[in-house]
Amino acid sequence: MANYFNSLPLREQLAQLGTCDFMAASEFEEGVNYLRGKKLVIVGCGSQGLNQGLNLRDSGLDVSYTLRASAISEKRPSFVNATSNGFKVGSYAEMIPDADLVLNLTPDKQHSAVVKEIEPLMKKNACLAYSHGFNIVEEGQKIRDDLTVIMVAPKCPGTEVREEYKRGFGVPTLIAVHADNDPNGEGLAIAKAYAAGTGGDRAGVLMSSFVAEVKSDLMGEQTILCGMLQTGSLLCFDKMVAQGVEPGYAAKLVQYGWETITEALKHGGITNMMDRLSNPAKLKAAALSDSMKAILRPLYEKHMDDIMTGRFSGGMMDDWHDDDVKLLGWRHETSETAFERESVTDDEISEQTYFDQGILMVAMVKAGVELAFETMTAAGIKAESAYYESLHEVPLIANTIARKKLFEMNSTISDTAEYGCYLYNHACLPLLQPFMEPLNTDVIGRGLGLNDLGVDNQELIRVNQEIRSHPVEHIGQMLRGYMTAMKAIG
Amino acid sequence: MAELFGFDSADIEFGSGFSLERLDWQVADGDKWLVAGRNGSGKSALLAAIGGVGRLRSGRINALREPIAELSITVQRGLAARERVRLEGGEGSEFENGTPVSAILEELNPDSDLLRELSDRLGLGELLAQPFLNLSTGETQKVLLVRALASRHPVLILDEPLRGIDAASRIIAFNCIERFAGMRTVILVTHEVNAVPDWAEHLAYLESGSICYQGALAASEATDWLEQMSTLTVPQMALPPRVTGQASLQAPQSPLVVMKNVQVSFGDLPVFENLNWEIHAGEHWQVTGPNGSGKTTLLNLITGDSPHCYTNDLNIFGFQRGTGESIWDIKQYIGYVSSGLHLAYRVSASVERVLLSGFYDSIGLYQSVTSEQETIVAEWLKLIGLEKKRQQPFNQQSYGNQRLLLITRAMVKQPALLILDEPCLGLDPLNRALVIALIKQLTQSKTTTILYVSHDVSDPIPGISKRLSLPLA
């Protein structure tokens, strides 16, 4: 198999990268009707598989599962997940031939093997769905010509997909139809009904492409999302401890700090996050962010370039074939870091304190979000995609760190994201080392401690202008506007 | 006895905006205190302050330095939240089953003989290997009780220790508490003025964030305060109107519920075998049964929240389950409240919007509302005496007031089927009387059929005549 994206002519590459449009709620008036009475068979019953299936069934669709024969005979957790929830489970040979829609919700790494086994069993003109397009785009899997291939990608972990549905809402979702596999022109209708069945239509759906989803997803997760938060956690913690901040306190400030400061991001973008700082702290954070952006821009560009050329996925697939040596080594290394091993203090830290004492963390989020967004859009990815894969997802990843630090983050994200995070962290740590050297606890751990909060008017106007006029703020304001029209917060 | 902890003219502010004011209270080693007061008077805040939560604005605190064993909603929520985190497997990873009861118990004291003895007495013996989150409301309470009592911590905080515990176990639980209270310092919070143990010595009575009485529990003044809590009368009232023009106002088909030969089991534990049940419009039911008899599971079959509704022969409001209907088709006819819903209602929204969400069966509000719905909600808020809280955040209300609001949320649309699963847990006597009076009104309304669930067989609800009694599975 050859990388699909690389096989496309430039105009097609650009067209597919540049696909991402917010869909009007009226496009989903038919709900799940297109799939009513059809047979949906889900391959795999992990977090996405189980939770999407529960939603689809509660929306009135006919859902069952198929698992590898060994998972069934050994009653593995995936088998127990499905059967204890009252789903019918069978082998590929039993379930696939009758399926109208097969949802491949196994991990990326298993995709090519799974597809190779199920494809010959699928009936003519059936549909194969993914929730992440890595297999199609990076591995270049060719799917039989009579089959429709679509993607419905909820932009949240599976448990969140379920919880939001039960609340009567949903999670933002990207959908796409694979241009090479839409023989009957029904791909979009199926994808829309599938998205409605998971509740995604209530939170907002974006029409994307396999290419745009994969390239932006990879870029976001390895740079700002997991990469920056991991590298930032380690740097901030080590800095504080070296400067005499009590380690339990430093660990707490980092563990819960990301969640607290990015909550502000969720409500009002970088602008609101920066507005939570005092004026002198805001100027400080803006300056730190500028320095980091200058240092890190080449790294972000390298990640984007490697993703576009397929060098990244090639390297990762080599590691797959090498029994995940690099990935597993990295996972172990992370678990051994001082931050990860420190237990946090019981002392209360107030919400505002996380901002006041976490100026450097705010700066890291700003630098990472803006850089990832700038790099993605410069590479031809549309602002909408870039927004969802950078700013929008930061609070979701920050939540996982708040739960159980980096261990939780790395076990929640996909192996693909974790591998990308590994590459980023190794390159980013040494790059930021000289930048970190002169910093003090005024920007991380203790706060500025100023009695006089005065600042220069012109300087403040310039910085505010710069924050507010960044393109991620423009698109963010618009997309958050669409979302709140649907979801009233508070 | 030496002072163990105390407050001197302390004003303490909490993140929620609530504050305790002019707090003068000293607790000596070995004291046995009863803390009482109406919903929202500050009982939980006082317990939190003992644990060191809150910001001291003025006055002085002599902080407690000993470890606390606590049984409260706060502890339960904390454990449940921790379990949810453990259960949330990552992308592509498989779920674990969750922490078993035995491990939860051993966290405060690993003495397995003692734990086994207490568990057996409260009928938990069979459940020790079960995942903690699988337990029913009453079973969870028993586990937390055993966990707190068996600990060796010198300070015991028991916030409504008998909440949700079935009739058969109440006496046993009561005796266990007495035995383990012993020489320890105990802070007991309860609304059940009829069930105050003999060993309690002192009363601290709270009103609007201040202790307005403290002294010997035997004193006649103490009795007066406690009686005041339960003898206020419920005023005459009329229900607000139903909304006009909502699809769910069309009466669904009767029978509302038909269950045929229902079979449910958890793992190897059978819960129901060949259960047959019909609910007809206008027939009000009370479902009773001991903790763990499957009351909540039965309700979840009706509401669609149990996966077993797809593996059984159920007809709900004329929908044969599993034939293409969605859970929202079902829920539009239902108003529902339970401890599970209370735990799940974790979104930030104002009191008013929580009530409005009752029109859409959602947790949080995601649709635009009509002015008629707003008017109706305002009337309900007035009826329950919380109109001043309209714009305040729901999650900063006291537990009792949250519960009262969620009961009202279930009632606002005056649904075809109103399901109340142990609704009154955590309500003070007056609010409980208010809820019972509302239920009585609804039974006379002709539009709403009521399904009231309680572990307590000796708790008849006026207007409800049909009984379903579930045996222990």
Side-chain angles (χ1 to χ4, degrees):
Chain A
M1 291 187 290
N3 187 302
Y4 168 72
F5 180 71
N6 291 350
S7 74
L8 295 174
L10 178 62
R11 63 176 177 284
E12 257 311 301
Q13 289 183 332
L14 291 175
Q16 293 200 25
L17 275 175
T19 303
C20 192
D21 298 292
F22 201 87
M23 298 175 77
S26 60
E27 298 216 42
F28 294 89
E29 273 165 4
E30 285 298 308
V32 298
N33 282 347
Y34 199 85
L35 288 172
R36 216 175 267 287
K38 304 248 170 77
K39 279 210 168 312
L40 280 63
V41 173
I42 299 177
V43 190
C45 195
S47 177
Q48 284 292 345
L50 174 62
N51 289 302
Q52 288 192 28
L54 288 167
N55 289 3
L56 291 165
R57 181 174 66 177
D58 277 346
S59 296
L61 298 176
D62 177 355
V63 178
S64 48
Y65 285 81
T66 185
L67 302 170
R68 272 171 300 173
S70 57
I72 297 173
S73 63
E74 292 167 25
K75 300 205 164 144
R76 296 235 185 98
S78 58
F79 176 79
V80 176
N81 276 344
T83 49
S84 66
N85 280 291
F87 286 108
K88 187 177 173 202
V89 181
S91 67
Y92 295 164
E94 286 164 337
M95 307 302 288
I96 299 287
D98 289 334
D100 299 294
L101 173 61
V102 175
L103 296 80
N104 178 11
L105 297 177
T106 56
D108 286 348
K109 194 188 302 183
Q110 294 173 19
H111 279 187
S112 48
V114 165
V115 170
K116 199 171 136 202
E117 266 194 80
I118 62 175
E119 191 191 32
L121 297 170
M122 286 180 71
K123 71 178 174 194
K124 194 164 188 297
N125 293 326
C127 178
L128 176 64
Y130 290 85
S131 279
H132 181 42
F134 189 89
N135 178 239
I136 296 288
V137 175
E138 300 295 322
E139 296 188 272
Q141 183 94 43
K142 288 292 293 174
I143 307 293
R144 223 170 66 203
D145 284 340
D146 64 296
L147 298 177
T148 304
V149 176
I150 62 164
M151 175 171 60
V152 172
K155 290 283 107 188
C156 275
T159 44
E160 217 33 42
V161 173
R162 180 63 180 158
E163 283 307 309
E164 286 293 338
Y165 182 90
K166 288 203 292 188
R167 283 178 195 141
F169 197 51
V171 307
T173 299
L174 301 185
I175 65 172
V177 179
H178 187 35
D180 292 10
N181 282 85
D182 192 15
N184 311 309
E186 62 173 358
L188 181 58
I190 298 174
K192 284 189 336 192
Y194 174 1
T198 60
D201 62 318
R202 303 202 195 102
V205 177
L206 289 110
M207 182 71 211
S208 180
S209 70
F210 272 72
V211 164
E213 190 273 341
V214 169
K215 299 296 186 187
S216 59
D217 184 73
L218 291 174
M219 180 62 186
E221 67 192 16
Q222 47 191 261
T223 57
I224 168 59
L225 299 171
C226 313
M228 194 70 222
L229 294 189
Q230 167 131 9
T231 309
S233 295
L234 301 177
L235 286 173
C236 289
F237 177 80
D238 290 347
K239 183 79 203 177
M240 281 188 271
V241 174
Q243 301 274 326
V245 175
E246 200 270 309
Y249 188 86
K252 185 162 188 169
L253 197 68
V254 171
Q255 181 176 354
Y256 298 99
W258 297 121
E259 183 180 47
T260 309
I261 61 183
T262 60
E263 177 72 16
L265 204 61
K266 190 159 89 187
H267 288 272
I270 303 278
T271 304
N272 183 54
M273 178 182 71
M274 293 293 281
D275 282 350
R276 294 297 309 269
L277 296 168
S278 69
N279 284 331
K282 183 195 273 185
L283 298 185
K284 193 94 200 163
L288 290 169
S289 164
D290 283 348
S291 310
M292 280 187 280
K293 281 176 77 172
I295 298 167
L296 294 178
R297 189 175 300 278
L299 176 65
Y300 278 64
E301 287 169 351
K302 178 175 183 336
H303 274 267
M304 190 79 260
D305 294 346
D306 287 351
I307 288 165
M308 286 297 182
T309 56
R311 209 183 120 112
F312 164 74
S313 55
M316 183 176 72
M317 287 187 273
D318 287 346
D319 194 44
W320 290 357
H321 300 131
D322 197 15
D323 296 324
D324 296 314
V325 171
K326 286 181 185 160
L327 180 74
L328 296 174
W330 156 249
R331 204 175 278 177
H332 177 72
E333 228 175 272
T334 298
S335 70
E336 297 283 310
T337 59
F339 166 65
E340 203 63 10
R341 298 175 71 90
E342 185 61 46
S343 46
V344 304
T345 171
D346 286 335
D347 290 354
E348 236 188 306
I349 301 181
S350 80
E351 198 246 7
Q352 184 59 41
T353 306
Y354 283 108
F355 290 91
D356 298 340
Q357 301 184 351
I359 299 169
L360 177 62
M361 292 167 72
V362 172
M364 285 173 167
V365 171
K366 177 176 185 288
V369 166
E370 290 180 356
L371 264 182
F373 183 88
E374 290 166 24
T375 317
M376 280 192 252
T377 48
I381 291 169
K382 229 178 148 181
E384 282 85 345
S385 304
Y387 173 82
Y388 273 99
E389 303 295 354
S390 61
L391 195 150
H392 168 80
E393 284 212 38
V394 186
L396 298 171
I397 302 296
N399 286 345
T400 66
I401 296 181
R403 286 192 209 135
K404 270 198 274 176
K405 301 197 210 159
L406 301 175
F407 168 81
E408 179 70 12
M409 179 187 83
N410 280 302
S411 58
T412 300
I413 62 179
S414 65
D415 283 2
T416 311
E418 196 178 356
Y419 185 82
C421 181
Y422 147 79
L423 294 179
Y424 180 92
N425 187 62
H426 277 250
C428 186
L429 271 177
L431 278 176
L432 284 182
Q433 221 49 276
F435 161 82
M436 291 294 296
E437 204 56 52
L439 297 185
N440 254 310
T441 53
D442 56 340
V443 294
I444 182 73
R446 299 226 164 95
L448 296 179
L450 298 173
N451 290 323
D452 178 2
L453 294 178
V455 290
D456 178 65
N457 280 323
Q458 290 305 325
E459 177 70 357
L460 184 65
I461 290 168
R462 185 188 65 76
V463 166
N464 277 334
Q465 192 83 34
E466 222 167 65
I467 296 167
R468 276 151 228 238
S469 63
H470 193 279
V472 76
E473 293 300 273
H474 286 298
I475 189 71
Q477 210 164 19
M478 198 170 84
L479 290 174
R480 285 193 299 273
Y482 288 143
M483 306 284 297
T484 43
M486 300 181 184
K487 178 178 189 174
I489 298 171
Chain B
M1 284 283 198
E3 178 180 307
L4 190 63
F5 62 90
F7 303 88
D8 290 323
S9 311
D11 284 357
I12 304 169
E13 190 178 66
F14 296 85
S16 62
F18 188 87
S19 43
L20 290 168
E21 278 156 20
R22 298 177 308 284
L23 201 57
D24 273 305
W25 189 40
Q26 280 76 41
V27 172
D29 198 5
D31 271 2
K32 310 277 187 289
W33 283 84
L34 171 67
V35 172
R38 294 212 49 201
N39 291 140
S41 60
K43 302 184 295 295
S44 304
L46 185 64
L47 298 186
I50 297 172
V53 177
R55 198 173 65 84
L56 184 66
R57 265 192 328 224
S58 62
R60 206 181 64 84
I61 297 178
N62 173 18
L64 174 66
R65 282 167 225 292
E66 305 285 350
I68 303 173
E70 181 175 338
L71 159 60
S72 67
I73 289 290
T74 317
V75 168
Q76 188 198 334
R77 285 184 170 170
L79 286 172
R82 194 187 70 187
E83 278 306 287
R84 276 195 301 275
V85 168
R86 288 187 183 170
L87 281 172
E88 278 173 18
E91 299 295 334
S93 77
E94 314 286 16
F95 292 158
E96 295 162 18
N97 289 326
T99 313
V101 169
S102 54
I104 297 275
L105 289 175
E106 284 165 11
E107 283 174 354
L108 296 191
N109 180 358
D111 179 348
S112 53
D113 290 342
L114 176 62
L115 291 171
R116 163 62 67 176
E117 184 216 321
L118 277 171
S119 304
D120 284 345
R121 293 192 62 189
L122 285 164
L124 295 173
E126 301 288 317
L127 300 174
L128 292 177
Q130 291 280 319
F132 176 64
L133 279 193
N134 286 10
L135 302 189
S136 74
T137 310
E139 289 164 349
T140 303
Q141 183 76 359
K142 289 177 180 174
V143 168
L144 296 180
L145 180 64
V146 171
R147 184 174 181 267
L149 293 181
S151 81
R152 305 222 186 276
H153 297 344
V155 181
L156 200 52
I157 287 182
L158 302 172
D159 186 356
E160 296 285 3
L162 301 183
R163 180 190 339 241
I165 292 184
D166 50 20
S169 308
R170 282 172 69 92
I171 308 274
I172 300 170
F174 202 80
N175 291 338
C176 287
I177 294 172
E178 173 159 20
R179 178 177 139 205
F180 283 89
M183 300 302 289
R184 291 201 261 188
T185 308
V186 184
I187 312 292
L188 171 71
V189 179
T190 183
H191 288 122
E192 298 187 56
V193 286
N194 304 325
V196 175
D198 296 337
W199 46 260
E201 306 160 312
H202 313 285
L203 169 68
Y205 191 87
L206 283 153
E207 227 171 50
S208 318
S210 294
I211 295 182
C212 58
Y213 171 81
Q214 56 179 313
L217 188 53
S220 67
E221 211 185 329
T223 317
D224 292 346
W225 279 106
L226 288 178
E227 275 184 1
Q228 172 197 306
M229 196 164 75
S230 54
T231 52
L232 297 169
T233 49
V234 177
Q236 282 297 319
M237 58 189 174
L239 293 180
R242 294 181 100 197
V243 283
T244 50
Q246 191 168 320
S248 56
L249 279 182
Q250 313 276 323
Q253 274 183 33
S254 185
L256 303 177
V257 172
V258 183
M259 299 188 176
K260 286 187 191 151
N261 298 320
V262 164
Q263 316 259 3
V264 174
S265 52
F266 288 126
D268 299 330
L269 282 177
V271 184
F272 302 124
E273 284 177 307
N274 295 317
L275 178 79
N276 291 284
W277 193 28
E278 288 190 8
I279 301 176
H280 294 260
E283 281 181 4
H284 308 295
W285 284 82
Q286 181 168 9
V287 178
T288 58
N291 300 143
S293 56
K295 300 185 295 295
T296 300
T297 305
L298 182 68
L299 301 184
N300 287 343
L301 288 172
I302 299 175
T303 60
D305 292 322
S306 163
H308 299 285
C309 64
Y310 295 102
T311 55
N312 280 291
D313 182 354
L314 302 178
N315 192 297
I316 314 287
F317 308 123
F319 295 104
Q320 184 66 32
R321 290 310 319 271
T323 59
E325 76 298 336
S326 82
I327 51 164
W328 310 107
D329 295 334
I330 305 288
K331 286 180 191 285
Q332 63 175 328
Y333 296 113
I334 296 176
Y336 176 66
V337 69
S338 70
S339 295
L341 176 82
H342 196 160
L343 268 177
Y345 216 109
R346 284 173 288 138
V347 299
S348 60
S350 67
V351 160
E352 178 188 38
R353 294 180 78 86
V354 168
L355 293 201
L356 285 166
S357 72
F359 290 109
Y360 298 101
D361 319 305
S362 55
I363 292 182
L365 187 58
Y366 311 107
Q367 294 175 61
S368 49
V369 294
T370 65
S371 57
E372 187 191 20
Q373 289 169 332
E374 285 176 325
T375 311
I376 290 172
V377 158
E379 286 189 43
W380 278 97
L381 275 173
K382 217 166 151 196
L383 199 60
I384 60 171
L386 294 177
E387 67 268 37
K388 291 208 178 91
K389 313 260 186 198
R390 192 168 69 96
Q391 299 292 2
Q392 292 180 11
F394 173 77
N395 55 19
Q396 292 177 6
Q397 304 301 309
S398 76
Y399 184 82
N401 280 345
Q402 286 183 9
R403 183 50 77 98
L404 185 59
L405 287 163
L406 290 178
I407 293 169
T408 313
R409 170 185 174 274
M411 291 177 173
V412 287
K413 66 177 176 185
Q414 299 185 40
L417 184 62
L418 176 62
I419 302 179
L420 303 164
D421 184 0
E422 308 266 16
C424 294
L425 296 185
L427 293 188
D428 64 36
L430 180 65
N431 280 336
R432 186 173 184 285
L434 175 67
V435 168
I436 302 292
L438 288 171
I439 294 171
K440 195 174 161 202
Q441 291 258 346
L442 283 165
T443 58
Q444 294 161 356
S445 71
K446 306 268 188 268
T447 48
T448 299
T449 301
I450 290 173
L451 184 48
Y452 186 95
V453 179
S454 112
H455 57 268
D456 194 351
V457 277
S458 64
D459 183 24
I461 306 299
I464 298 184
S465 53
K466 299 283 238 179
R467 286 287 183 105
L468 175 68
S469 178
L470 296 175
L472 189 60

